[in-house]
Amino acid sequence: MPSTSVEHRTHVTPQTVLIIDDEPTARVALAARLKRLGYRVLQADDGKVGLDMLRRERPDLTILDWMMPEMDGPSFCELVRQDPELLSSQILMMTSNDQPEQIAEGLARGADDFLSKAASKYEITARVQAGIRAAGLIRRLEDVTAEIRRKQDTLERELQSAARYVESLLPVSGTIVPGVEMVRVYRPSLGLGGDLFNVVPWSDNLLGLYLLDASGHGVSPALRSASFATFLRRESLLRHVGSSDPGAILTEANKHFPLTENGHYFTIVFATLDIRSHTLSYATAGHSGVFLHRKSGEVYWIAKPNLPLGFDSSTIYGTEVLSVDPGDRLYVLSDGLYEVPDATGNLWGQDRLEQLVCTLGRQPLSEVLSSAVNEAVRWLGHEQFPDDVAVMAVELRETQTHE
């Protein structure tokens, strides 16, 4: 018959069993039996000493007597289950009264299994081995959990680094060229967002602006957006398109960024502001979050219904032209700002956003955007937007000419 010795069977450091019993004879006899089976055995003669030993030694299995002075078995179990460091410890309760009511109480207060003091040596061996197996599984699960947490921490640090990189791609609020002020807001729904916007300076008098929105959330959309942002740099556009015409830019981008295998795509608005002629040229691809707030108070949503990029490589995107005057403001934003639901599912919507902008009138752009975000948060009921929020507001300043 093969040996049941743990040490012979596994060839590793033997598992540790802690016996807590105030009866020396019973404790020593059980300890001798477990040592013959190959276990390392620790002993304590009361619950308080045993609890200290459990904290210090972290045995694989604790065999605990029910009736003890100072601290009985069920009280010991409760203290163990309340300690996060000891919570997963395996406890085998010994009792001479193995009635169903008592067993139920012991299990309810934290014991994992029961062992009758009248049990045969075969049952003792079987229950101890079962407890050791359970302890091994729990230890392995704890190790795996700890490793997952370490990997999550590493991933979180990498995502934060990537988020800082994405943020570095965005323009800084302020005067971007003489006579043009820009204020922006960026709040990704996750640590890493797929909405990007930027300024493309063509010349002293011609300024490009774009906002692109990648479908989906998280790392993949952010990477795709960063790649697209590289395509939208001035030198890249001059190489691939050869002009600053918004429609031509989107038509070419449509060929470079088809639907992904998972069906993800981009929506985008690209505009050029000619400061000298006071004209705004623009093209959109599936993007509806663009409006002009004129100095007169009129609000004009300039997006046209059309396909996002990537659906049809033969799509031609046209360029529209508007006149703009000093004091006019252009708002380019992702739908994550206004398509926020309240508790009943009703969206805040473009109309409420427009009304807020009109109510705030000629207040500074930074205050308008701050108020818009705060109102969206109030409507939503919490700070975590369900979609990325990206907004770029541009104002053509009124300048005085001198003869």
Side-chain angles (χ1 to χ4, degrees):
M1 183 175 180
S3 171
T4 58
S5 166
V6 173
E7 188 171 12
H8 174 76
R9 176 167 47 84
T10 62
H11 301 286
V12 295
T13 302
Q15 292 98 336
T16 300
V17 179
L18 169 62
I19 302 173
I20 307 174
D21 193 337
D22 64 321
E23 296 182 8
T25 302
R27 187 179 69 246
V28 171
L30 179 58
R33 180 170 296 167
L34 295 179
K35 287 178 181 178
R36 286 196 298 272
L37 292 173
Y39 297 107
R40 172 176 174 255
V41 180
L42 305 173
Q43 300 181 50
D45 58 7
D46 66 60
K48 288 185 177 181
V49 174
L51 189 60
D52 290 339
M53 195 171 291
L54 177 61
R55 290 193 173 105
R56 184 173 65 253
E57 298 287 343
R58 296 299 303 274
D60 298 278
L61 177 66
T62 297
I63 302 177
L64 176 70
D65 189 19
W66 182 298
M67 298 298 296
M68 292 185 296
E70 298 289 336
M71 181 189 298
D72 63 14
S75 298
F76 179 96
C77 291
E78 288 180 337
L79 289 174
V80 169
R81 299 312 177 203
Q82 293 168 8
D83 188 334
E85 295 296 322
L86 305 177
L87 183 63
S88 61
S89 300
Q90 286 292 296
I91 300 175
L92 177 58
M93 185 90 79
M94 291 189 302
T95 178
S96 57
N97 182 7
D98 54 358
Q99 296 300 310
E101 296 81 3
Q102 189 179 42
I103 293 176
E105 179 188 353
L107 292 173
R109 295 177 69 177
D112 294 294
D113 198 2
F114 274 83
L115 177 63
S116 172
K117 287 194 171 184
S120 68
K121 63 179 182 180
Y122 303 109
E123 183 180 355
I124 292 173
T125 300
R127 289 193 181 276
V128 168
Q129 289 178 340
I132 291 292
R133 284 197 302 272
L137 291 173
I138 290 173
R139 293 280 172 88
R140 285 196 289 275
L141 180 59
E142 288 176 334
D143 290 342
V144 170
T145 301
E147 179 64 22
I148 290 173
R149 286 174 178 166
R150 286 193 292 270
K151 290 181 178 180
Q152 284 179 329
D153 290 342
T154 300
L155 178 60
E156 182 62 28
R157 289 193 297 272
E158 291 176 351
L159 288 175
Q160 290 174 355
S161 177
R164 288 192 293 271
Y165 169 71
V166 170
E167 187 93 19
S168 73
L169 299 176
L170 306 179
V172 178
S173 296
T175 300
I176 46 180
V177 295
V180 179
E181 179 189 6
M182 187 276 294
V183 176
R184 55 92 158 179
V185 170
Y186 182 65
R187 291 184 56 166
S189 62
L190 300 176
L192 201 57
D195 292 1
L196 284 181
F197 52 88
N198 215 330
V199 175
V200 183
W202 291 104
S203 66
D204 292 342
N205 298 304
L206 189 63
L207 187 67
L209 310 162
Y210 71 80
L211 188 149
L212 62 93
D213 184 346
S215 63
H217 304 285
V219 176
S220 178
L223 292 176
R224 290 187 289 114
S225 291
S227 174
F228 199 165
T230 300
F231 173 82
L232 292 172
R233 291 175 179 173
R234 179 179 181 274
E235 58 274 17
S236 173
L237 292 177
L238 289 175
R239 182 170 64 254
H240 289 100
V241 184
S243 78
S244 61
D245 178 69
I249 289 172
L250 296 197
T251 299
E252 185 66 22
N254 185 53
K255 301 173 184 176
H256 286 262
F257 298 94
L259 285 174
T260 69
E261 293 181 356
N262 296 323
H264 291 303
Y265 57 89
F266 287 105
T267 66
I268 183 173
V269 54
F270 196 102
T272 56
L273 177 63
D274 192 317
I275 302 168
R276 180 174 295 170
S277 66
H278 291 179
T279 56
L280 178 73
S281 303
Y282 65 92
T284 63
H287 195 89
S288 58
V290 193
F291 66 90
L292 188 65
H293 183 208
R294 296 194 179 277
K295 183 183 177 182
S296 63
E298 176 191 3
V299 172
Y300 177 62
W301 291 84
I302 65 176
K304 303 291 184 182
N306 54 11
L307 285 175
L309 297 182
F311 281 80
D312 182 355
S313 61
S314 65
T315 300
I316 304 297
Y317 294 93
T319 299
E320 304 285 339
V321 181
L322 282 174
S323 64
V324 290
D325 297 314
D328 289 351
R329 294 174 170 181
L330 177 69
Y331 290 87
V332 182
L333 55 149
S334 63
D335 57 12
L337 177 62
Y338 54 84
E339 289 188 354
V340 290
D342 63 10
T344 63
N346 293 319
L347 298 182
W348 187 40
Q350 290 183 340
D351 291 342
R352 290 186 179 88
L353 172 61
E354 178 181 328
Q355 183 179 2
L356 175 67
V357 170
C358 291
T359 299
L360 295 174
R362 307 307 302 169
Q363 290 190 26
L365 280 176
S366 58
E367 294 184 18
V368 175
L369 293 194
S370 177
S371 297
V373 170
N374 290 339
E375 183 60 22
V377 166
R378 188 197 66 79
W379 184 270
L380 186 60
H382 54 80
E383 294 279 344
Q384 185 62 48
F385 283 90
D387 197 2
D388 297 338
V389 173
V391 187
M392 182 166 50
V394 178
E395 180 175 3
L396 184 61
R397 288 177 176 170
E398 298 183 71
T399 57
Q400 294 182 347
T401 57
H402 300 277
E403 295 292 331

